[in-house]
Amino acid sequence: MDSFLSYTFIGLFTGAAYAIAASGLVLTYSTTRVFNIAHGAVGMVFAFVYWDFSQRQHMPAWLALALVLLVVAPAFGVFVQRVLTRGLGSQPIGVSLVVTVGILVGLIGVATQIWPPASRTVPQFFAGHLITLGNVVITWHQVLTVVLSGVVAGCLYLLLNRTRIGTAMRASVDNPDLLQLYGGRPQLVAALAWAIGTSLAALAGILLTPVIGLQYYDLTLLVISAYAAAMLGKLTSLPMTYVGAMGLGILQSYAVGYLPSAGNVAGLRAVVPTLFLFGIIVLLPQAPLRIGQVKGLVSAPVPTLGRASIWGGALVLFAMLLAVGLSTSNLLLLGTAATYAIVMLSLVLLTGYGGQVSLAQFTFAGVGAVAYAKIDQPNLFGLLVATLVAAAVGALVAIPVLRLTGLYLALATLAFAQLMDKLVFQASYAFQFNNPLHAERLSVLGLKIDGTGSYTVMMTIFFVLLALGVIAVRRGRLGRILIAMRDSQAACGTLGLDLRWLRVGLFAASAGIAGLAGALFAGLRGTIVANDFQFFASLLVLLVAVIWGVTSVTGAAIGGVFLMYLPVAQSDHANIAGLLFALLGFGAVALGRDPNGLANKIFGFNSWVVDRLYPALAERYPGMALRSRTDEWDGAVDGVDDESLAASGTEVERDVVVAG
Amino acid sequence: MRSKLVGACVLALALLVPTACGGSEVSPKEALAANQSILGQGAGSSTDTTGTSSDSTATGDTGTTGSSVDAPTAASTGGAATGTGSTGTGSTATGSTGGKPKTKGAGGAAPSASGASCAGFKNTTGITDSTITIGNSSDISGPVPGLFSSAQQATKAYVAYFNSRSNICGRKLSLINLDSRTDAGADQQSYQKLCDQTFAAVGSMSAFDSGGAATAQSCGLPDVRAAAVTAARNQCSTCFGAESSGDHEFSNSVPDFFVKNYHDASQKAAFLYLNAGAAAENAKTQQTVETQRGMSFVYSAGIDVAEFNYGPYVQQMKDKGVRWVQFLGGYQQAVRLAQAMQAANFKPDIFLLDPTAYDAGFVKSGGSAVDGAVIFIMFTPFEQSQPEVNLYKQWLQQVSPGAVPTFFGLFAWSAAKLFVEQAAALGGQLSRASLVAKLKGVDNWTANGLHAPMAIGGKHAPSCIRFLQLKGGKWTPLGSTSYQCDGFSKAG
């Protein structure tokens, strides 16, 4: 019985930490409809700030705590709401996810830059004081955490349900315009919600730091477990969130206490929060689709197959030149870039065209790599099998989450990626922790592609072929359906389109492409390890894909090179490595609202030169033989969709009639 | 494909290097005899390697003239050390006895330019008339910035030290530093570059060192590492760790010490490990060997990297009456476990960690919770004055002022010293292939007393171990200050 009580109280402490973190998450989501993936990173940064105040600057703990929780964190929360996430709630979920993942990455970079790695400690509150109840021993710090979690939950409940500002908060999420018409101030309400939410993230970070240490990633990712608690309350109910957090904490504690520590079941203990999250997402009723308004994205220009083939051929030729001129070590980098580019191509199909967000693309690449290595058929047949295995896994993921959309779907893929990391990739039939798997380079029709240069060229050819396939899909009927699905699933449903199996097929195709990338990568490297395919890499891929354009194959190609070069640049400029990471993150924040990304700007450059620069020059220097494109081609641009030319912005609103 | 998140902590752990890894069982007597023969010691069951090092293949290589380095200086200046062996027989070592031509005991003496003949010396990849270019690829950037920068600093320090005093057949050393970025792919890329540009890789240390193993082997690059973390690297035929390791091997000395001196506690043992990277695999090896040597485990569990509350594990140990706890993981997680034990008022007789806890960060961040923690080590602690340790610390400050000596740095220094000695001994016969062949014959390497004898060529787990205990924030010897050499066993 003593043990049971001990496990229970230990679980309550874990749950209390989750509860505080999840409460802030729910508050910001329920008032601004922005799911802040960076909530843990915010807690991490303010734990560093608290350390800086209390340990480095030797402020009294209470003063440091007050400064962080009442001044710095709320101010930062207001800044984030006003500058970084304003209006994000009405954007497609992919946009808000990318922006908040960008904040997460950016904050890790900022913390690394400001507080370089070193041993730092934050003492527990009331350190050394224990409470003994029979055989159960607990610390005052644990008691404080549990009590504060209850206080936070109670105060938030009262705020939202018993105060005028709380009512305004709840109203703002339903319809901020209506709230404004009634004299409310939605922006003020949103700012207040972010201020409180950020303070709660900071509080969770400060309370957890003495237990888990002051590190960049641990605190940041810990909060993912709190997502499960928040989802139990469907991101709106604070009482259910609290129950979920406590339940999860206790469940984890009991799992350690009562599940066998050896054998196949032992691995389950590590994935309790992930299973909890996955189960809740799949089993609980979903939020209704938002209707009445469709925000469609204007896609980047889609070239004709002929024009794309020419560019693809040029890319292959360029790769061949590089293969001749570059050293083997640099060719390995080029091959890595090709791998990233192919994975991003899978996102073009899934996210850029289909509007589905996946946070598990590298996991699918890992599946393809493992399959390729295991079947030991280094030829096109082996590559095909690896691709099909990855596609099948993608379909398996899609089937249970068929009815999920938006955020729920994204979190389901995140949970899937974590499960694969912890259960499958570490299993004896895969990598078994960090043992490398060996893979041979590919033979094509009996011809062994052994040299690194020729293998890299072959990877480029695969990229080009896949890109042509993706473009062909986009230009066909299927592509139009995908775009319609991206713009509004509700509208598609109203028009009689059954998208369920299309989504399964889309996931499978996307996973297959990523799996093929993984298989090619395995051949390039010769040996692969589980660490090559951890789920965090999927977040970075999504970020970079959006920065460079997740709606075009050009964005994928440039993004692949960029993602390959980022760690090289960090290594070459170690003193600003954190800054580079921050730039990536906040670059995604700046560009995240335009999924067409920088690639689209490149596409627009020619138009700008011809339509703006040439006329201006012609006017100033009448003697120059400059004509605008309009004059020359009479408004027709070969090979580019009309819709892309029509776009003056990145987003158009279309009124549609959707039956309620 | 670099990861990393989690990685961060995971990685640090992945580096729980080589306390376990491959080979056949060697009896304690064999190991002891081997050690003693090298040390020139007589009877006694403990071995103090201070001031000694050896090259088992070196016999016969001496007597030639030329410009090899660190040739045997018979009269060792190594610090005298006294110790009490595990069986209580004391021994006093004053460096090598000089009985064997190639046994080195140069202590802190500068490398000398005598040794093998330089006749017939041929320039090859990485070697010109004036320089021998070597490379170091260690984890510098990545999720844990500066993870193994100490290995690179130590290599740089040794190169500076060497160049200030000597040369190899008239050639100074030139060092190329690369970053393996805590990523197997980057390790592979680095080694491809080293294959093309350098004669050998020296003192490298990477968490995911499997990446460059095949690359190094395929180009025949001698890779004298600080340590090999993964089995794949250890299996690479041209790769050698200064801290040697063998697949699924672990030192007998660790369990033997506790079975003998803490018998009751050793029968109520628990093994906790971080369920990631090399830690998980090594933990199973270590626990198996410890069980084979007479310990009894009542609890064993892997802890996920994402878990932050270790309370339930501590409660399990309390329930099972555990008195001896071993943890394998990064020191950050060890601190977390120690704090959870302190919070639960759980005080085992022994809380054992591996050498990764020999870090100022562990002491600082652990505070009172880690007081009393025990670590097993196979090197001379920095608190001890020993010529080669002093040399390492002195030259580290020369090239990287303010840098802190570390366990990994110590073995990188040892790797650099090993490279120089073997290359110099080859003289005019120096080539990648001849160096690899020479390294394969090196056993019982101590880098002039810097660490316990290492089976470089044989690639086996260290036989000799000693223990430190943290008391009042200071590491102090637990048991003898000499190494206890009981051989190693293979798990399974």
Side-chain angles (χ1 to χ4, degrees):
Chain A
M1 190 60 188
D2 282 344
S3 297
F4 180 78
L5 286 176
S6 289
Y7 289 127
T8 305
F9 194 84
I10 290 165
L12 286 176
F13 168 64
T14 306
Y18 289 156
I20 294 172
S23 298
L25 203 60
V26 168
L27 185 67
T28 49
Y29 183 82
S30 64
T31 52
T32 59
R33 206 176 276 277
V34 176
F35 186 83
N36 187 12
I37 295 266
H39 197 71
V42 171
M44 176 271 294
V45 165
F46 285 105
F48 271 98
V49 173
Y50 174 75
W51 169 86
D52 203 289
F53 287 173
S54 64
Q55 304 298 310
R56 194 179 73 82
Q57 301 183 39
H58 305 294
M59 285 185 194
W62 65 267
L63 179 60
L65 194 63
L67 272 178
V68 171
L69 297 184
L70 302 178
V71 180
V72 187
F76 180 75
V78 171
F79 168 78
V80 170
Q81 191 276 326
R82 287 297 169 102
V83 179
L84 304 181
T85 65
R86 192 169 195 167
L88 217 53
S90 58
Q91 299 272 346
I93 188 62
V95 174
S96 72
L97 279 177
V98 165
V99 168
T100 54
V101 169
I103 295 174
L104 179 151
V105 171
L107 288 178
I108 289 175
V110 166
T112 311
Q113 192 67 36
I114 298 178
W115 299 282
S119 175
R120 300 182 179 89
T121 56
V122 174
Q124 292 192 2
F125 294 102
F126 311 111
H129 294 83
L130 303 176
I131 300 173
T132 305
L133 302 170
N135 286 333
V136 180
V137 181
I138 51 181
T139 65
W140 274 103
H141 186 87
Q142 291 172 321
V143 173
L144 179 70
T145 305
V146 174
V147 169
L148 280 177
S149 71
V151 169
V152 164
C155 289
L156 285 180
Y157 184 80
L158 290 176
L159 174 73
L160 290 176
N161 295 285
R162 295 284 186 271
T163 66
R164 188 177 176 80
I165 190 78
T167 306
M169 282 178 169
R170 287 186 290 126
S172 73
V173 73
D174 291 333
N175 195 327
D177 295 334
L178 197 58
L179 174 65
Q180 196 157 17
L181 285 175
Y182 277 89
R185 299 168 67 185
Q187 288 305 322
L188 179 67
V189 165
L192 180 64
W194 275 85
I196 297 173
T198 306
S199 282
L200 291 177
L203 178 62
I206 291 167
L207 288 172
L208 283 170
T209 297
V211 181
I212 67 174
L214 198 49
Q215 294 163 51
Y216 311 115
Y217 288 90
D218 287 16
L219 269 171
T220 299
L221 298 172
L222 175 70
V223 174
I224 291 178
S225 297
Y227 296 170
M231 295 307 285
L232 185 65
K234 288 197 275 186
L235 292 170
T236 52
S237 167
L238 279 169
M240 286 304 290
T241 298
Y242 192 77
V243 169
M246 288 301 181
L248 177 60
I250 292 172
L251 193 62
Q252 274 188 277
S253 185
Y254 289 163
V256 175
Y258 299 111
L259 281 180
S261 61
N264 294 331
V265 189
L268 286 177
R269 289 173 306 152
V271 292
V272 166
T274 312
L275 285 175
F276 196 82
L277 174 63
F278 199 76
I280 286 173
I281 290 173
V282 172
L283 298 177
L284 282 189
Q286 299 302 297
L289 291 172
R290 302 183 76 186
I291 57 173
Q293 183 187 56
V294 175
K295 293 215 167 183
L297 295 170
V298 174
S299 298
V302 182
T304 61
L305 279 176
R307 175 167 289 201
S309 300
I310 292 170
W311 278 106
L315 182 64
V316 172
L317 279 176
F318 185 58
M320 291 169 81
L321 285 175
L322 291 178
V324 173
L326 290 181
S327 65
T328 306
S329 60
N330 285 329
L331 285 171
L332 287 170
L333 285 176
L334 192 63
T336 305
T339 307
Y340 290 143
I342 297 174
V343 175
M344 287 185 196
L345 210 52
S346 74
L347 279 175
V348 171
L349 188 65
L350 183 71
T351 308
Y353 297 165
Q356 312 296 308
V357 179
S358 166
L359 300 177
Q361 289 310 98
F362 257 90
T363 303
F364 295 128
V367 171
V370 171
Y372 180 79
K374 285 286 181 184
I375 59 176
D376 197 20
Q377 289 283 325
N379 48 43
L380 289 178
F381 172 74
L383 194 66
L384 178 66
V385 171
T387 304
L388 291 176
V389 169
V393 172
L396 281 176
V397 176
I399 289 172
V401 299
L402 259 181
R403 63 201 186 87
L404 301 182
T405 56
L407 177 62
Y408 291 81
L409 178 63
L411 291 181
T413 58
L414 179 71
F416 164 75
Q418 283 201 311
L419 285 174
M420 291 293 286
D421 271 6
K422 293 174 190 291
L423 279 185
V424 178
F425 285 165
Q426 289 193 3
S428 55
Y429 51 83
F431 294 104
Q432 195 170 14
F433 298 109
N434 213 34
N435 287 335
L437 286 178
H438 296 272
E440 283 189 42
R441 287 190 174 162
L442 205 62
S443 294
V444 178
L445 304 176
L447 180 66
K448 179 99 170 171
I449 314 292
D450 219 6
T452 306
S454 51
Y455 196 88
T456 307
V457 171
M458 184 196 67
M459 291 180 79
T460 310
I461 293 172
F462 269 104
F463 171 79
V464 170
L465 293 176
L466 288 167
L468 291 175
V470 167
I471 290 170
V473 167
R474 171 65 185 87
R475 295 190 68 83
R477 180 173 177 272
L478 183 59
R480 290 192 291 276
I481 295 175
L482 289 177
I483 296 297
M485 180 169 75
R486 183 189 71 184
D487 286 352
S488 174
Q489 293 195 49
C492 289
T494 306
L495 295 173
L497 283 173
D498 184 357
L499 299 176
R500 288 175 300 175
W501 292 106
L502 179 68
R503 288 177 60 201
V504 173
L506 182 63
F507 255 94
S510 172
I513 294 173
L516 184 138
L520 290 174
F521 178 73
L524 174 76
R525 286 267 304 277
T527 58
I528 45 169
V529 292
N531 195 61
D532 291 327
F533 305 104
Q534 283 193 340
F535 86 93
F536 192 72
S538 297
L539 302 185
L540 292 180
V541 165
L542 180 65
L543 275 195
V544 174
V546 170
I547 287 175
W548 286 100
V550 76
T551 56
S552 67
V553 295
T554 306
I558 303 175
V561 175
F562 180 85
L563 189 57
M564 172 276 292
Y565 183 66
L566 179 69
V568 177
Q570 285 185 301
S571 174
D572 291 345
H573 309 283
N575 54 333
I576 56 165
L579 189 62
L580 291 172
F581 219 49
L583 283 176
L584 169 69
F586 293 118
V589 172
L591 298 166
R593 285 176 168 80
D594 177 12
N596 296 325
L598 293 173
N600 203 36
K601 303 280 190 289
I602 296 172
F603 301 147
F605 182 74
N606 187 46
S607 299
W608 178 82
V609 170
V610 174
D611 296 340
R612 302 279 180 85
L613 187 62
Y614 279 13
L617 289 174
E619 187 177 331
R620 186 160 184 178
Y621 306 104
M624 291 182 71
L626 295 170
R627 284 186 301 171
S628 72
R629 181 169 56 182
T630 312
D631 298 335
E632 187 176 352
W633 293 321
D634 198 22
V637 180
D638 178 39
V640 179
D641 281 355
D642 290 344
E643 72 170 296
S644 61
L645 288 177
S648 55
T650 59
E651 185 178 274
V652 291
E653 283 198 10
R654 286 171 285 192
D655 292 330
V656 295
V657 178
V658 178
Chain B
M1 307 190 153
R2 337 170 25 222
S3 93
K4 312 249 93 271
L5 83 107
V6 194
C9 42
V10 179
L11 313 180
L13 313 180
L15 316 180
L16 297 179
V17 188
T19 33
C21 309
S24 60
E25 186 162 342
V26 171
S27 74
K29 283 184 179 178
E30 287 172 328
L32 184 59
N35 291 334
Q36 287 176 339
S37 69
I38 286 150
L39 300 171
Q41 291 180 327
S45 57
S46 78
T47 303
D48 190 317
T49 59
T50 307
T52 68
S53 79
S54 69
D55 178 345
S56 62
T57 65
T59 307
D61 282 354
T62 54
T64 52
T65 56
S67 58
S68 112
V69 177
D70 250 359
T73 307
S76 166
T77 57
T82 59
T84 306
S86 60
T87 57
T89 306
S91 67
T92 301
T94 54
S96 76
T97 59
K100 296 199 173 195
K102 235 348 198 180
T103 306
K104 302 164 193 68
S112 62
S114 62
S117 167
C118 291
F121 196 103
K122 290 179 183 171
N123 291 345
T124 179
T125 308
I127 300 182
T128 66
D129 289 344
S130 58
T131 59
I132 295 177
T133 303
I134 57 175
N136 178 285
S137 172
S138 299
D139 291 341
I140 307 299
S141 65
V144 187
L147 184 60
F148 290 131
S149 53
S150 61
Q152 205 157 76
Q153 289 165 342
T155 309
K156 192 176 168 188
Y158 191 87
V159 168
Y161 161 66
F162 173 79
N163 284 341
S164 72
R165 312 289 173 100
S166 190
N167 60 66
I168 298 174
C169 289
R171 290 157 176 85
K172 295 288 187 184
L173 293 180
S174 171
L175 177 65
I176 293 177
N177 287 319
L178 298 175
D179 180 5
S180 46
R181 307 198 305 262
T182 329
D183 175 39
D187 186 56
Q188 182 184 23
Q189 191 213 342
S190 286
Y191 269 80
Q192 187 60 56
K193 200 173 279 184
L194 294 180
C195 278
D196 297 340
Q197 299 178 4
T198 68
F199 173 70
V202 176
S204 300
M205 188 73 209
S206 304
F208 299 99
D209 63 9
S210 60
T215 306
Q217 182 171 313
S218 65
C219 74
L221 182 77
D223 181 25
V224 193
R225 312 181 62 75
V229 175
T230 61
R233 198 69 187 213
N234 214 33
Q235 286 158 7
C236 156
S237 61
T238 63
C239 307
F240 307 89
E243 187 198 353
S244 62
S245 58
D247 289 341
H248 301 108
E249 289 177 359
F250 186 55
S251 169
N252 294 332
S253 305
V254 174
D256 288 3
F257 175 81
F258 292 105
V259 169
K260 181 183 176 190
N261 298 302
Y262 297 85
H263 185 267
D264 291 346
S266 72
Q267 302 308 301
K268 285 277 189 182
F271 206 122
L272 299 177
Y273 56 93
L274 202 68
N275 207 11
E281 199 170 358
N282 287 348
K284 285 171 185 163
T285 296
Q286 293 184 18
Q287 188 181 341
T288 304
V289 170
E290 286 167 353
T291 304
Q292 289 169 355
R293 303 293 294 183
M295 291 185 64
S296 179
F297 286 86
V298 295
Y299 183 57
S300 172
I303 302 177
D304 187 72
V305 290
E307 283 199 50
F308 71 93
N309 188 355
Y310 288 8
Y313 297 96
V314 175
Q315 187 59 41
Q316 275 276 8
M317 291 193 288
K318 285 177 79 173
D319 291 349
K320 295 180 187 299
V322 168
R323 293 178 56 188
W324 188 98
V325 178
Q326 183 173 358
F327 177 77
L328 197 57
Y331 81 74
Q332 295 89 344
Q333 286 76 30
V335 166
R336 207 179 287 178
L337 178 61
Q339 289 174 337
M341 292 196 297
Q342 186 183 47
N345 209 19
F346 172 59
K347 296 171 183 167
D349 296 5
I350 293 292
F351 177 42
L352 180 68
L353 303 165
D354 79 344
T356 51
Y358 187 64
D359 188 296
F362 173 75
V363 180
K364 186 181 173 190
S365 58
S368 62
V370 298
D371 205 47
V374 176
I375 58 171
F376 61 87
I377 61 171
M378 62 298 285
F379 54 88
T380 306
F382 300 127
E383 292 81 359
Q384 192 172 319
S385 180
Q386 193 275 340
E388 199 68 28
V389 170
N390 296 343
L391 209 53
Y392 162 47
K393 292 196 289 190
Q394 174 195 336
W395 279 90
L396 179 64
Q397 293 311 309
Q398 293 268 348
V399 300
S400 308
V404 178
T406 69
F407 151 57
F408 298 112
L410 180 145
F411 278 102
W413 175 279
S414 169
K417 186 179 180 69
L418 175 63
F419 165 77
V420 162
E421 290 195 5
Q422 301 306 312
L426 283 166
Q429 303 302 311
L430 182 63
S431 68
R432 282 180 173 178
S434 65
L435 182 60
V436 168
K438 187 112 176 109
L439 286 164
K440 282 182 178 172
V442 177
D443 271 320
N444 296 301
W445 166 256
T446 70
N448 192 34
L450 194 60
H451 49 69
M454 296 290 163
I456 305 295
K459 297 187 180 180
H460 292 300
S463 294
C464 300
I465 295 290
R466 56 180 287 193
F467 300 90
L468 298 178
Q469 186 167 34
L470 192 61
K471 287 182 178 174
K474 302 284 183 193
W475 291 107
T476 56
L478 176 68
S480 171
T481 54
S482 300
Y483 292 110
Q484 177 178 327
C485 302
D486 294 335
F488 60 85
S489 294
K490 193 176 180 74

